[in-house]
């Protein structure tokens, strides 16, 4: 993670907490580990065949990365996520979360929201310190 960029929050959105630079080969690397080798994640050429200008990040990777930033994973009981826009690779994105870490979003340039989510934690366990 790098320094937090001055990406404005979406209207009423949580404040920025971290900035991530995602390489162009992220989809291929995640696909090799996960076994999900969907062509939209692998190369710009194969992604274009499906209407994307470049390869896109795996949705499950983006959710997992957000959860890793959200604090103690053993405290998370459930997760709800809404995907809003694909993350075109390479990319720089901003992870934003409320003070509890229970509501989060991933934003791209000009505040474009890629995903929004919430976590429910076990009773008596808080999010990031």
């Amino acid at each position: 993670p790098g320094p937090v960029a001055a990406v404005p929050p979406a209207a009423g959105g949580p404040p920025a907490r971290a900035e991530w630079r995602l390489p162009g080969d992220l989809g291929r690397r995640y696909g090799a580990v996960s076994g999900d080798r969907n062509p939209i994640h692998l190369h710009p050429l194969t992604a274009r065949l499906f209407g994307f200008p470049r390869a896109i990040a795996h949705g499950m990777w983006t959710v997992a990365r957000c959860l890793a930033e959200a604090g103690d994973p053993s405290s998370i009981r459930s997760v709800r996520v809404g995907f809003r826009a694909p993350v075109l690779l390479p990319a720089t994105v901003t992870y934003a979360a409320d003070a509890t870490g229970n509501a989060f979003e991933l934003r791209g340039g000009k505040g474009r929201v890629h995903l929004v989510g919430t976590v429910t934690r076990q009773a008596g366990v808080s999010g990031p310190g």
Side-chain angles (χ1 to χ4, degrees):
V4 178
V7 175
R17 303 280 182 206
E19 180 179 86
W20 308 326
R21 288 187 173 84
L22 311 181
D25 69 344
L26 179 66
R28 290 187 295 279
R29 291 175 27 213
Y30 182 79
V33 173
S34 69
D36 181 352
R37 292 186 173 88
N38 185 322
I40 63 175
H41 304 300
L42 302 180
H43 295 282
L45 179 61
T46 56
R48 279 194 293 272
L49 295 172
F50 294 90
F52 297 98
R54 301 192 309 262
I56 64 172
H58 284 74
M60 292 310 298
W61 182 90
T62 58
V63 173
R65 183 65 185 89
C66 288
L67 293 177
E69 195 78 36
D72 177 13
S74 66
S75 72
I76 297 174
R77 188 175 66 196
S78 67
V79 180
R80 294 184 64 97
V81 175
F83 294 97
R84 303 287 172 85
V87 177
L88 300 173
L89 297 172
T92 299
V93 294
T94 301
Y95 169 79
D98 66 5
T100 65
N102 295 338
F104 61 91
E105 63 185 36
L106 191 66
R107 298 191 294 257
K110 299 180 184 174
R112 182 178 192 189
V113 177
H114 294 289
L115 69 82
V116 296
T118 58
V119 297
T120 303
R121 297 183 189 273
Q122 296 176 25
V125 180
S126 62

